[in-house]
Amino acid sequence: MTSRSLPALDYPLKLCLVPAQMRLASKNQIYLVTGGCGFLGKHLVEMLLEQEPKLSEIRVFDLHLDQSMRSWDRVNLIQGDISKPEDVKPAVQGAHVVIHTAGLVDVWGRVPPKKIMAVNVQGTKNIIEACVTQGTQYLIYTSSMEVVGPNIKGNPFYRGNEDMTYEAIHHHPYPLSKAKAEGLVIKANGQLMPNGKQLVTCALRPTGIYGENHLLMKEFYEKGLKTKKYMIRAIPASVEHGRVYVGNVAWMHLLVAQKIQDDPSTIGGQVYFCYDNSPYKSYEDFNMEFLRPCGFRLLGSHPLLPFFVLYLIALLNAILQWLLKPFCVYAPILNPYTLVVASTTFTVKTDKALKHFGYKPCFSWEESRNRTIRWLQEVAAEKQVEK
């Protein structure tokens, strides 16, 4: 990667090894990354620049452009609204592969449900239709583990795979929108295009993504400063979640983008969980892996409040949100949905991705942890300067 291609924060990528049976991208291909200025999208663009020297162009489609990316070699920034077909069609035209990461992630009620559906569902419809009409054969969709669960009953999902039976129940706008969008993508696999080719699609389901530039982690850090870096345990340490480093999510996208072209009959119409070797822990204990080196402390070996008290607080927050809706946006982190998600064990395996396209994490847990800590420490240093 040239100096002009480095991200704003100098977290150098490393050259990961592509499985021997897979080829690199063909010469002069064009990749389109929707949401390419977002948390995952930007990491993916960086990795494509590093790993795919033969790509002639990487198009980055986003509503809010990161102007620092304009100087990156082979990157073409395109501003547009994913929910508007007239914006999507020109961006897709001439692309060989579309990696659709654009989406609204909101489980707190900060965004109106209609907006979530417009971006996540209608936006995905627009991408599919543009691929078909423009003859772009390969579409990879960034889905979510929340397409499966945790469900609102709190049923655990322990080291599950894509074929494991689990009652997925979707009422909240975000998981509902992702489930609908993923369904559209998988259903579109095999659709005949005007050029005589068939559309080939697949979907990746990352668990909770973390890493440098993660806005939610930064928000947790800033909230912790208000409580003098002391945090109170709310969830039992026995609850386990699978979290995945953003660099490894980008790596899986890159691998499947290569394999979908080499072996479309294997990849087409498939869904894959996306996880790495990060430890299974509760959200609180996992976040402390990065916050503790910054001086934070988690109080209590057991929750200080019983679950029913937490649920009453979450329910009260939901009622207040509804009452205040005409006047302001009240969107606390704790609500009935986020409480169930945080309190329910949900862990996955990636055996299918290993079997189908040789996925193994590019970044170890130690590397992923150190990169995230380093970034948070830089955030802390910036806060000190602001004072």
Side-chain angles (χ1 to χ4, degrees):
M1 187 182 289
T2 67
S3 60
R4 289 188 299 163
S5 298
L6 287 171
L9 288 175
D10 185 16
Y11 298 97
L13 294 175
K14 65 179 183 180
L15 192 62
C16 300
L17 296 177
V18 176
Q21 69 273 24
M22 295 171 60
R23 62 171 171 81
L24 296 175
S26 298
K27 189 175 182 180
N28 297 326
Q29 277 195 335
I30 298 172
Y31 275 33
L32 168 65
V33 180
T34 70
C37 294
F39 172 49
L40 170 60
K42 191 172 180 181
H43 280 269
L44 176 56
V45 172
E46 293 166 10
M47 184 163 281
L48 287 171
L49 286 170
E50 180 75 23
Q51 301 282 350
E52 299 285 20
K54 292 183 179 180
L55 289 179
S56 63
E57 181 185 349
I58 303 171
R59 294 179 185 168
V60 172
F61 180 89
D62 212 308
L63 182 60
H64 304 289
L65 298 182
D66 185 338
Q67 298 300 330
S68 69
M69 298 172 72
R70 288 199 178 277
S71 62
W72 294 12
D73 292 333
R74 298 180 286 145
V75 170
N76 177 17
L77 294 183
I78 303 172
Q79 188 167 32
D81 187 339
I82 199 76
S83 65
K84 296 180 179 178
E86 64 271 23
D87 287 0
V88 173
K89 185 176 177 180
V92 173
Q93 187 176 16
H96 297 87
V97 177
V98 173
I99 304 178
H100 178 32
T101 76
L104 273 176
V105 181
D106 177 44
V107 294
W108 309 282
R110 298 172 181 176
V111 180
K114 288 181 66 175
K115 180 66 173 178
I116 294 175
M117 290 295 175
V119 172
N120 294 352
V121 181
Q122 184 60 49
T124 301
K125 286 183 180 179
N126 294 339
I127 286 291
I128 293 169
E129 291 171 4
C131 285
V132 171
T133 59
Q134 299 305 307
T136 296
Q137 192 173 6
Y138 305 106
L139 170 60
I140 298 148
Y141 175 58
T142 308
S143 187
S144 168
M145 74 169 190
E146 292 185 50
V147 165
V148 180
N151 63 26
I152 58 175
K153 293 182 178 180
N155 299 137
F157 189 82
Y158 185 78
R159 311 295 192 267
N161 60 28
E162 295 82 356
D163 298 321
M164 183 171 172
T165 300
Y166 186 79
E167 186 180 10
I169 306 171
H170 306 296
H171 295 311
H172 195 278
Y174 173 68
L176 181 61
S177 71
K178 296 299 283 187
K180 287 184 175 181
E182 183 189 279
L184 291 171
V185 170
I186 300 307
K187 185 179 179 181
N189 182 67
Q191 187 170 340
L192 189 63
M193 302 187 290
N195 61 8
K197 296 180 179 180
Q198 289 184 332
L199 180 64
V200 186
T201 70
C202 72
L204 305 186
R205 297 170 173 170
T207 56
I209 308 177
Y210 70 93
E212 54 269 27
N213 298 314
H214 188 205
L215 292 180
L216 186 58
M217 180 66 73
K218 186 176 181 181
E219 184 178 332
F220 285 147
Y221 177 86
E222 291 171 346
K223 286 182 179 294
L225 293 180
K226 296 177 182 179
T227 57
K228 307 296 184 181
K229 296 187 177 182
Y230 286 96
M231 306 184 79
I232 299 174
R233 181 181 294 279
I235 304 300
S238 59
V239 173
E240 292 186 342
H241 290 279
R243 303 285 293 278
V244 59
Y245 177 61
V246 64
N248 288 323
V249 182
W251 176 237
M252 182 180 278
H253 280 75
L254 183 146
L255 290 178
V256 84
Q258 295 167 354
K259 188 66 175 181
I260 201 172
Q261 299 176 71
D262 290 339
D263 190 4
S265 63
T266 296
I267 304 299
Q270 297 294 328
V271 296
Y272 300 94
F273 281 128
C274 183
Y275 167 70
D276 52 22
N277 294 323
S278 302
Y280 296 116
K281 291 189 175 187
S282 71
Y283 282 121
E284 290 174 331
D285 286 299
F286 191 87
N287 288 342
M288 288 304 295
E289 291 284 344
F290 317 110
L291 294 171
R292 191 174 288 108
C294 296
F296 282 66
R297 293 184 61 188
L298 180 63
L299 300 179
S301 56
H302 302 283
L304 297 185
L305 295 175
F307 180 83
F308 79 89
V309 174
L310 285 175
Y311 185 78
L312 289 176
I313 295 172
L315 191 61
L316 177 61
N317 281 337
I319 294 171
L320 286 173
Q321 185 177 63
W322 179 74
L323 291 174
L324 295 173
K325 188 176 180 179
F327 311 104
C328 65
V329 176
Y330 175 69
I333 288 177
L334 183 64
N335 61 48
Y337 177 75
T338 59
L339 178 60
V340 170
V341 169
S343 304
T344 304
T345 289
F346 198 94
T347 57
V348 304
K349 299 186 294 185
T350 55
D351 294 356
K352 183 177 176 181
L354 172 63
K355 179 181 178 181
H356 283 197
F357 51 91
Y359 167 74
K360 294 180 181 178
C362 177
F363 299 91
S364 68
W365 159 240
E366 290 73 20
E367 290 174 291
S368 305
R369 180 177 181 272
N370 290 339
R371 284 167 176 258
T372 307
I373 291 172
R374 178 180 167 188
W375 163 69
L376 264 183
Q377 289 173 336
E378 291 189 5
V379 170
E382 291 172 1
K383 293 293 180 184
Q384 289 296 325
V385 172
E386 290 175 3
K387 291 182 179 180

